Amino acid sequence: MLKAREAVHSVPQIPQLTSGRSGICLDLNENTSGCSPRVLAKLHSLTAADISLYPERAAAEAVLAEHFGVHPEQLLLTNGMDEAIVLLFSAFLGAGDEALYPVPTFPMYPICARAAGASIIQVPSDRDFRYPAAALRAAITGRTRVIAIATPNNPTGALAPRKELVALLEAAPDAAVFVDEAYFEFCGETMLSELPRFPNLFVGRTFSKAYGLAALRIGCLIGRAEHMDAVRRLAPPFNMNGIALACLKEALADQDFVSSYVISVKRERARLEAAFSKYGIRTWPSHGNFVLADLGKWHAEFTAELAKDGIYVRDRGAEPACAGCVRITIGTAAEMDRFYAALPGALQRTGWHVTV
Ligand SMILES: Cc1ncc(COP(=O)(O)O)c(C=O)c1O
């Protein structure tokens, strides 16, 4: 009888993330204000030939490498950063190896580690969601081949301090240390400058968040040329679609769009934290375009009640070390006003004691 590989059966199933969303989407950390008008203009200018020919990745890779100040051999464009994670994990992990990462974090790490046949070693953060530096280093073994750190972390918004990341890179010379900088634009902290010093460092970036291009699927992986050569061998030759490649340069050129979105996120994030605190709901300091809130035993009902009002947030309350937590993406001021209008009613219906 036909059966998938043993490892495939241990892969956690990805829940349906988007299903007929037609309202205010505060659930997937997208830029809900849209994308740069320069990208839209480029899309409108595309011709039939732009669609009918296979896409060429190299020119866009050179542009992006220059933007990051690295050599093109060090950078691979990927179909969203998701694909970068798939490729990196499959290049460095095999049966019997270990993938190490703190939890809670981005759910693609266990999926890709399990798919490669590796074991997963999850180090829980404390309830302040601080980066568990010492516990992570203590969990490194002779079998650790990939270590993944999202900073700012999704879903907590916490930053991993640079000196701790350096200590991790020093402590695990035989592991690929993947620093996932999906939310870099909101904090400005990057490990890219450490690439010359650490051959085991890889950095991931995406255009799905601050640039507002989630549907185009543009991400990248940056590392030492010799290791990126190994990763590139696994990438399908036409992994990037031509429409995304055509838009990349325009997106990069419009840094004003990115900065004005980041400013609005910071303003609205403070407003959201204040709104939750008014109801006695704990949130954690976030360096991303989202906030994690502690809804306790009401996390699932709260999420469902808001959905009835056409407002989608992400229930992360059943994940390891994340009990009771719901993640809310920062929307536009108008979207957040709708959220504040719905909040007391949703809390009341779930049984939260609304005092204000
Ligand atoms: C921490 C983190 N890494 C990677 C990704 C993947 O992004 P992309 O849309 O580029 O695949 C996300 C998306 O939510 C994320 O939160």
Side-chain angles (χ1 to χ4, degrees), residues 266-276 333-334 336-337 340:
K266 289 182 179 167
R267 189 181 53 233
E268 292 303 321
R269 196 172 62 198
R271 208 154 70 102
L272 180 59
E273 284 161 355
F276 275 126
M336 297 315 287
D337 285 343
Y340 302 129

Side-chain angles (χ1 to χ4, degrees), residues 15 64 71 73 85 94 105 132 143 152 171 174 244 258 268-269 281 315:
L64 194 54
H71 195 275
E73 284 181 358
I85 299 169
T105 194
R143 296 197 295 158
D174 297 330
V258 175
E268 292 303 321
R269 196 172 62 198
I281 295 169
D315 177 16

Side-chain angles (χ1 to χ4, degrees), residues 28-29 78-83 85 105-109 150-154 178 180-183 205-209 213-214 217-220 290 316 327:
L28 291 177
N29 298 347
T78 54
N79 200 269
M81 206 209 293
D82 280 348
E83 192 194 28
I85 299 169
T105 194
F106 188 49
M108 277 295 283
Y109 308 154
T151 178
N153 191 18
N154 169 9
F178 173 56
D180 179 332
E181 297 184 352
Y183 301 96
R205 290 285 184 90
T206 180
F207 284 73
S208 298
K209 308 299 177 186
L213 302 178
R217 312 303 299 129
I218 309 176
C220 70
F290 53 87
R316 305 280 304 250
R327 191 193 65 200

Side-chain angles (χ1 to χ4, degrees), residues 109-124:
Y109 308 154
I111 291 169
C112 297
R114 291 279 200 208
S119 310
I120 53 175
I121 310 294
Q122 308 188 130
V123 174

